[in-house]
Amino acid sequence: METKQTVRIGAGAGTSDDRMVPALELAERGDIDYLVFECLAERTVSRENLARSKNSNLGYSPSLHARLRMVLPACMRNGIRIVSNMGAANPLGGARAARKEAADLGLGDVPVAVVLGDDVSSIVKHRPELRLIENGEPLESILPAMISANAYLGADVVCEALNTGAPIVLSGRVADPSLFLAPMMHEFGWAYDDLPKIAQGTAAGHLLECTASVTGGCFGWPGKKDVPDLARNGFPFADVKVDGSIVIGKTPGTGGRLDVMTCTEQLIYEIHDPTAYITPDCVLDITGVALTQEGADRVRVEHAKARPATDTYKVNVGYADGYIGEGEVSYGGIDAVARAKWAAEIVKERLKLQGFSYDDFRVDLIGMSSLHDQVDIRPEPYEVRLRMAGRTRERKAAHAIGFEVRAMHMHGPGGAGGACEPRVRDVLAVKSVLLPKNQVNAQVIVEGSL
Amino acid sequence: MTVRVYDLAHARAGDKGNTSNISVICYETKHWEFLERELTTQRVAQAFRHLAKGPIKRYPLRNLKAFNFVIENALGGGVTVSLAQDIHGKSYSNVMLAIELPNLK
């Protein structure tokens, strides 16, 4: 295979609910070689595991259909390869769904390389002594309620999937930056011991993994940090060269802004110790990184450093942890806050009278204290929305919260309006353990014929 | 006269488990040393005392004219179990920006 001079890798999604059209714009006029869709939040795999337990064909990201239907024609026409973790809890099922979408679009038999092995539930089941990172307790404490256990796989196995030549690569849990690093390793033959390049590629992946966060999304502030044409903000890409040089850019003709400020916010985003950002591929150090504006909407990334990867994978263990119940109702005008506070006391008393108890309980006055607390020092607004929420083992107790809040219409202080229906949701909690890499069997299989 | 973090820097909050990280990024390089001196973990802890138990660590990122504050026990147990409206604590960057510091000399 002839090595390209520059490979352009686009970010097509940064969360399961990301906007769709900017990915199509990248595929149609971004001149990209790869389009990466990162669609798994911490608990998404648990949720999809539950979906698969009800229907064995499901368990991949529900948005796979709509996303692929939108971009596949342009990707196939322009020779753009797709890399995504939309396989979620069922990468094989996702691959079959993807192939069906391609066939239905008249694109023929499109093979899909599937990354397997992130599901380590059958392995950790026999390792009750593993320590939970969050609280140091043994895994045993949550094993009975375990729904899923998935290792964050690295770029190596995704690269292996790209080596098959399949136009689409689908995985379950893979570390976000690794999805972007894999095409670089594939194109340029970078190995894990080539740390300066692995570092640069990981930094680029981290900059791209939240899509619009480097192009002006989650950034703008009127008069202080203006973002032009934010309504039509485009998605970013990285131009990567074989020597590890990286420039971040975005789809031509789209809105938003891409500069050193937006890139700095994303570079530090969700990093703890900046000398040790641990991915399955390396331990990244961003303290020396230099970001330079190279042109309009183009930022050069230099001097990322890395140490070799650790010998463990981080494993997210999802488990059922009871229910959260919620209710809301509004008060407006004279003494709105006093009436809302009184309502909260009445609801609490009624819940207690019925014998319900809660592991955690919360009262918010939306408009005053729902985000940053400290209700006693906030100025009183004209209107306020009371929100009450509690976590409990009992579904009935969870439902009672919203039920009693709604009853404020008829059984509470005067002038309550606009209560919502009682809300109850299953809590899919996530904790993590470390598992030696040599105990995980990451592998690639191809659906369809190459 | 006091100065707010907001006047000198921009910020963004992220979450991992029950830990919030908030970047503070100077608009101008010349203000980094002022923030290094005045935006101490003690001041940040004071501003977040009702939201987070801590501990809080501050990592300097001089090259990026920035700091990274890592605040533990800040997110009601973490996004999957939190009862908060803002389960990710995305709005916490605004608590950071509102911190008042002694006059800029």
Side-chain angles (χ1 to χ4, degrees):
Chain A
M1 191 178 71
E2 193 188 338
T3 303
K4 289 186 180 125
Q5 288 301 303
T6 302
V7 172
R8 180 170 285 187
I9 300 164
T15 164
S16 52
D17 309 319
D18 211 339
R19 298 190 67 238
M20 305 262 210
V21 169
L24 178 62
E25 293 168 344
L26 261 182
E28 283 182 336
R29 50 178 217 266
D31 198 20
I32 55 173
D33 301 297
Y34 292 86
L35 186 53
V36 178
F37 293 90
E38 193 290 292
C39 292
L40 295 185
E42 268 194 333
R43 61 180 158 176
T44 321
V45 178
S46 294
R47 193 175 64 208
E48 296 311 332
N49 242 309
L50 288 177
R52 191 182 61 173
S53 67
K54 288 176 192 140
N55 177 344
S56 62
N57 292 321
L58 299 181
Y60 53 87
S61 297
S63 71
L64 177 144
H65 294 278
R67 290 189 197 283
L68 290 186
R69 210 174 297 146
M70 181 176 271
V71 302
L72 264 179
C75 286
M76 298 305 282
R77 188 169 65 239
N78 297 330
I80 299 164
R81 298 179 73 184
I82 292 171
V83 178
S84 179
N85 57 9
M86 282 192 285
N90 188 2
L92 273 174
R96 288 180 202 124
R99 284 168 49 69
K100 181 162 186 326
E101 286 297 340
D104 290 352
L105 288 163
L107 299 169
D109 181 353
V110 176
V112 177
V114 184
V115 173
L116 297 174
D118 66 303
D119 182 348
V120 293
S121 48
S122 59
I123 300 171
V124 301
K125 222 180 279 176
H126 303 292
R127 299 289 309 277
E129 79 288 357
L130 289 170
R131 293 279 152 186
L132 299 171
I133 294 173
E134 289 78 6
N135 59 11
E137 309 252 315
L139 174 62
E140 199 175 2
S141 59
I142 58 171
L143 263 187
M146 184 171 86
I147 293 168
S148 63
N150 296 77
Y152 281 88
L153 300 180
D156 49 357
V157 65
V158 180
C159 178
E160 197 185 316
L162 286 165
N163 293 345
T164 65
I168 301 174
V169 169
L170 272 185
S171 72
R173 182 64 78 192
V174 166
D176 300 352
S178 308
L179 293 169
F180 296 89
L181 176 61
M184 306 177 206
M185 293 171 74
H186 167 70
E187 289 280 349
F188 300 133
W190 295 351
Y192 275 156
D193 56 7
D194 197 347
L195 285 169
K197 289 169 190 152
I198 297 296
Q200 282 285 100
T202 300
H206 181 58
L207 284 168
L208 295 179
E209 71 180 70
C210 295
T211 59
S213 287
V214 288
T215 57
C218 193
F219 178 87
W221 197 298
K224 183 86 173 170
K225 291 157 78 187
D226 287 314
V227 179
D229 201 8
L230 182 54
R232 295 193 315 116
N233 64 333
F235 276 178
F237 55 72
D239 282 341
V240 187
K241 287 195 159 66
V242 64
D243 64 358
S245 71
I246 307 261
V247 175
I248 308 292
K250 73 179 182 73
T251 315
T254 56
R257 69 187 251 188
L258 195 165
D259 59 19
V260 171
M261 280 171 65
T262 64
C263 286
T264 306
E265 284 197 15
Q266 175 59 25
L267 187 62
I268 305 172
Y269 180 65
E270 290 184 353
I271 277 187
H272 290 173
D273 178 352
T275 67
Y277 180 60
I278 300 172
T279 80
D281 310 310
C282 67
V283 179
L284 180 68
D285 178 347
I286 61 162
T287 53
V289 168
L291 300 171
T292 321
Q293 194 79 39
E294 198 174 76
D297 293 322
R298 284 182 72 81
V299 170
R300 181 169 291 280
V301 183
E302 294 172 292
H303 309 311
K305 285 183 302 206
R307 301 190 294 281
T310 67
D311 55 9
T312 53
Y313 285 120
K314 181 179 167 185
V315 173
N316 267 5
V317 182
Y319 62 102
D321 195 21
Y323 306 92
I324 288 177
E326 276 180 276
E328 289 178 12
V329 65
S330 290
Y331 295 87
I334 297 164
D335 291 335
V337 172
R339 282 180 286 134
K341 285 180 174 173
W342 187 20
E345 292 312 312
I346 295 165
V347 169
K348 278 202 261 186
E349 192 173 341
R350 285 182 181 154
L351 292 171
K352 204 170 157 189
L353 286 169
Q354 292 166 83
F356 296 129
S357 66
Y358 301 89
D359 298 330
D360 196 6
F361 199 89
R362 178 172 172 125
V363 178
D364 290 317
L365 294 184
I366 298 173
M368 290 178 77
S369 62
S370 69
L371 295 177
H372 301 153
D373 210 341
Q374 290 192 306
V375 68
D376 296 334
I377 64 164
R378 306 297 180 198
E380 290 202 4
Y382 177 79
E383 62 178 49
V384 71
R385 187 156 177 85
L386 169 66
R387 170 182 180 267
M388 301 182 76
R391 194 171 67 240
T392 163
R393 309 276 133 192
E394 267 187 280
R395 175 171 274 277
K396 215 170 125 191
H399 181 265
I401 299 171
F403 185 91
E404 294 295 352
V405 171
R406 185 179 57 186
M408 288 297 102
H409 277 155
M410 287 182 70
H411 299 274
C420 65
E421 292 293 306
R423 289 198 286 257
V424 179
R425 63 177 190 269
D426 294 346
V427 176
L428 292 179
V430 174
K431 286 199 164 60
S432 35
V433 295
L434 297 176
L435 191 63
K437 283 179 175 164
N438 59 20
Q439 294 182 16
V440 176
N441 180 26
Q443 54 175 311
V444 175
I445 66 160
V446 176
E447 284 280 301
S449 43
L450 289 162
Chain B
M1 265 292 283
T2 56
V3 64
R4 295 166 300 184
V5 174
Y6 167 83
D7 298 314
L8 308 178
H10 52 113
R12 186 165 172 220
D15 72 290
K16 269 215 166 68
N18 199 18
T19 302
S20 173
N21 91 293
I22 305 176
S23 62
V24 173
I25 304 158
C26 296
Y27 288 106
E28 294 182 58
T29 309
K30 66 179 182 189
H31 293 138
W32 192 86
E33 280 173 2
F34 173 78
L35 288 182
E36 189 196 28
R37 189 170 69 243
E38 300 294 345
L39 190 59
T40 58
T41 51
Q42 288 83 351
R43 278 222 166 88
V44 173
Q46 175 67 14
F48 281 86
R49 68 193 181 283
H50 54 288
L51 298 172
K53 288 200 192 85
I56 300 181
K57 267 191 205 153
R58 182 183 78 170
Y59 295 96
L61 286 150
R62 189 166 198 147
N63 228 34
L64 299 165
K65 50 184 204 274
F67 301 90
N68 188 26
F69 288 89
V70 177
I71 308 177
E72 292 183 45
N73 298 301
L75 296 170
V79 48
T80 55
V81 298
S82 168
L83 296 183
Q85 284 226 292
D86 176 13
I87 53 178
H88 300 92
K90 298 268 186 198
S91 72
Y92 279 9
S93 54
N94 298 290
V95 176
M96 183 71 81
L97 292 172
I99 294 176
E100 293 193 343
L101 303 171
N103 195 10
L104 189 57
K105 289 267 164 53

